Amino acid sequence: MQSSNHDSAFSVRLADPGVPSDGTGSGTLGKSFAMRRRNRHGRGLRGELMLPTHPGYRTRSDRFDDMVLDSAQRLHDIWGKTLDGVRFAVDEIPPQLEQLVADAQAAPMGSYTPATADEGPVITLYRRVVEQGCASREELQDLVHDVVVEHTAEMLGVAPETLDPVYRRRY
């Protein structure tokens, strides 16, 4: 997915766009009382405030993609041509997650894939892992930026603190 207001050198892609990112279809029967959107008399909020057909509707996945693009754009504004050709990708979960869980290892929040003869370097963030590491949206934005900075620093072979002055390890 390409954003029109950002530099064309950056792109964000979903690993499997055919898989729904939200758990729709569960209905209200399976939800707890606190999760329902109606009060006990049945006169509460009955649906979404913004319908998916309206222009302002954004999914969590879309907002996460925007956070990655904003962080990548910030680094590009600081470092310029050094980051040309770098792709930033978003996957739902890391590959081999079952094996990591079986080995009692922590799941990575992102990864760096070096450039090949066919394509440039790729920095991938794993959306579900990063989201679970945060309690609020502000923390999520900071953590996304930290993961982008750390893997970009790994790619360039520099310390993350020298790559972005506002970086501080939060996880």
Side-chain angles (χ1 to χ4, degrees):
M1 164 178 165
Q2 237 21 169
S3 177
S4 60
N5 61 351
H6 295 291
D7 193 5
S8 63
F10 300 113
S11 64
V12 174
R13 66 169 170 77
L14 294 176
D16 190 3
V19 176
S21 61
D22 57 28
T24 58
S26 63
T28 58
L29 295 177
K31 295 181 181 178
S32 70
F33 181 79
M35 295 294 293
R36 291 187 200 143
R37 294 182 171 235
R38 296 181 184 199
N39 61 14
R40 67 183 195 167
H41 298 289
R43 292 187 293 260
L45 186 62
R46 294 191 174 130
E48 299 293 327
L49 289 175
M50 177 99 33
L51 296 174
T53 56
H54 289 118
Y57 181 80
R58 305 283 292 161
T59 63
R60 284 189 320 191
S61 179
D62 292 339
R63 289 190 300 264
F64 191 88
D65 293 349
D66 289 343
M67 288 180 199
V68 172
L69 282 174
D70 290 343
S71 293
Q73 185 62 45
R74 174 176 166 68
L75 290 179
H76 190 266
D77 290 345
I78 295 171
W79 286 86
K81 291 195 175 279
T82 307
L83 299 180
D84 283 348
V86 177
R87 289 187 324 148
F88 293 86
V90 174
D91 286 344
E92 290 293 310
I93 58 172
Q96 311 297 330
L97 182 61
E98 295 83 12
Q99 186 62 39
L100 291 171
V101 170
D103 295 340
Q105 295 179 358
M109 293 189 180
S111 67
Y112 159 64
T113 306
T116 63
D118 297 333
E119 62 182 41
V122 179
I123 295 173
T124 306
L125 275 75
Y126 302 117
R127 184 173 74 89
R128 300 287 181 149
V129 178
V130 174
E131 284 179 341
Q132 286 187 348
C134 301
S136 69
R137 186 173 180 181
E138 292 79 24
E139 287 180 30
L140 178 63
Q141 194 164 9
D142 290 341
L143 186 57
V144 165
H145 185 68
D146 285 349
V147 174
V148 169
V149 167
E150 286 189 0
H151 290 289
T152 305
E154 177 187 353
M155 176 187 72
L156 297 175
V158 298
E161 296 82 14
T162 61
L163 190 63
D164 189 0
V166 299
Y167 167 83
R168 60 177 190 225
R169 188 174 186 94
R170 291 180 181 84
Y171 60 95

